[in-house]
């Protein structure tokens, strides 16, 4: 489903080039759960953003279902990111001025071809499946950390993506809520054959992955 070849990433720090990723090769098949482990600053999130088309590599290629992401016109790349790839971020990235239901709906509203009523019904069904039906009218500040993360996952799923990318999905959660997110991701993989790639410090999350990578000093092992 997704293949990365010879991925390098440099960042400028004054006159110095910081070489974050140093020739990463990665291949993930449909239906797999892949975990990428590594210390803070190792480049895990950078790699995830490159795989999802959010950040362009300094060198190398990423292909998704046979399409080389960075050779696509910007509108096609944006369409793939919105329709086919779901993102779950460590800090949730929920918009504070919107309700839970509105946050979940946002990615679907970009697609003008779908009926608004159907979109709302889908969002409500997702919230219900995650035990958030009574939180639909609340704002993110009124939710617990676990509820915010489940809202973020529901938002990532509203367009029924083929690939779910998770950046430290349990990083800001206590043990109980972290376990709940683990169970939720595993259920998505089993019931919907959803391909999941996650970067994490959490060794418990890595236990249910079918493929585990370690990244250190810019190299993947």
């Amino acid at each position: 489903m997704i293949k990365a070849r010879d991925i390098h990433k440099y960042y400028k720090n004054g006159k110095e080039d910081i070489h974050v990723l140093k020739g990463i090769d990665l291949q993930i098949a449909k239906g797999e759960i892949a975990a990428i482990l590594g210390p803070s600053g190792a480049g895990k999130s950078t790699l995830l953003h490159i795989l999802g088309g959010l950040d362009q590599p300094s060198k190398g290629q990423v292909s998704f279902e046979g399409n080389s992401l960075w050779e696509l016109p910007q509108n096609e790349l944006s369409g793939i990111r919105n329709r086919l790839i779901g993102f779950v971020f460590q800090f949730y990235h929920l918009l504070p001025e919107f309700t839970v239901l509105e946050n979940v709906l946002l990615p679907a509203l970009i697609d003008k071809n779908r009926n608004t009523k159907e979109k709302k019904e889908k969002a409500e069904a997702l919230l219900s499946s995650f035990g958030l039906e009574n939180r639909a009218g609340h704002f993110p500040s009124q939710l617990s950390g676990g509820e915010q993360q489940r809202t973020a996952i529901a938002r990532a799923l509203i367009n029924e993506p083929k690939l779910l990318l998770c950046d430290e999905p349990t990083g800001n959660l206590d043990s109980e809520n972290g376990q709940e997110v683990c169970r939720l991701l595993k259920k998505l993989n089993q019931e919907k054959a959803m391909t999941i790639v996650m970067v994490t410090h959490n060794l418990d999350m890595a236990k249910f992955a079918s493929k585990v990578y370690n990244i250190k000093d810019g190299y993947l092992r």
Side-chain angles (χ1 to χ4, degrees):
M1 171 173 280
I2 189 162
K3 184 176 182 179
R5 184 171 179 80
D6 195 30
I7 298 298
H8 291 257
K9 186 65 180 181
Y10 298 88
Y11 288 108
K12 280 284 186 184
N13 184 14
K15 295 183 178 179
E16 184 183 5
D17 281 334
I18 307 297
H19 198 178
V20 179
L21 301 177
K22 304 173 181 177
I24 299 290
D25 291 318
L26 180 70
Q27 188 165 321
I28 297 164
K30 177 178 172 55
E32 284 189 321
I33 300 179
I36 302 174
L37 305 177
S40 296
K44 301 187 303 296
S45 294
T46 298
L47 177 58
L48 197 74
H49 291 174
I50 288 173
L51 294 177
L54 292 175
D55 193 7
Q56 186 167 1
S58 303
K59 177 186 175 185
Q61 294 184 339
V62 177
S63 63
F64 176 74
E65 294 195 320
N67 295 302
S68 183
L69 292 183
W70 296 106
E71 293 178 2
L72 294 173
Q74 188 59 44
N75 64 323
E76 290 187 33
L77 177 57
S78 296
I80 286 175
R81 284 197 303 250
N82 183 57
R83 293 180 292 102
L84 302 179
I85 302 176
F87 296 90
V88 178
F89 300 100
Q90 178 179 0
F91 297 104
Y92 321 132
H93 289 192
L94 300 175
L95 298 180
E97 67 272 26
F98 289 90
T99 66
V100 166
L101 179 61
E102 290 167 341
N103 267 283
V104 172
L105 267 172
L106 281 174
L109 295 176
I110 296 172
D111 183 359
K112 306 296 185 183
N113 296 319
R114 292 174 62 187
N115 181 278
T116 302
K117 181 182 178 183
E118 290 178 358
K119 294 174 186 176
K120 184 179 179 182
E121 289 173 350
K122 175 69 181 297
E124 290 172 339
L126 277 169
L127 289 176
S128 180
S129 69
F130 293 165
L132 294 166
E133 62 271 25
N134 295 326
R135 296 294 198 183
H138 288 64
F139 292 93
S141 62
Q142 297 172 300
L143 305 182
S144 69
E147 288 170 336
Q148 289 186 62
Q149 189 61 294
R150 279 181 279 152
T151 300
I153 294 172
R155 179 185 58 189
L157 298 176
I158 188 67
N159 286 335
E160 299 182 356
K162 295 182 178 182
L163 173 66
L164 187 65
L165 302 178
C166 303
D167 189 356
E168 296 283 6
T170 63
N172 291 312
L173 302 178
D174 59 29
S175 177
E176 182 179 350
N177 280 306
Q179 288 291 333
E180 178 60 29
V181 169
C182 287
R183 288 191 291 269
L184 180 57
L185 293 176
K186 187 173 182 179
K187 182 179 179 182
L188 287 170
N189 173 258
Q190 291 175 338
E191 294 184 357
K192 297 182 179 297
M194 185 172 292
T195 307
I196 299 173
V197 182
M198 55 188 173
V199 299
T200 183
H201 288 97
N202 189 333
L203 294 178
D204 287 334
M205 290 203 73
K207 289 178 182 177
F208 70 84
S210 51
K211 184 177 287 184
V212 178
Y213 296 96
N214 284 277
I215 188 168
K216 185 178 181 181
D217 299 326
Y219 297 99
L220 199 67
R221 298 177 175 85

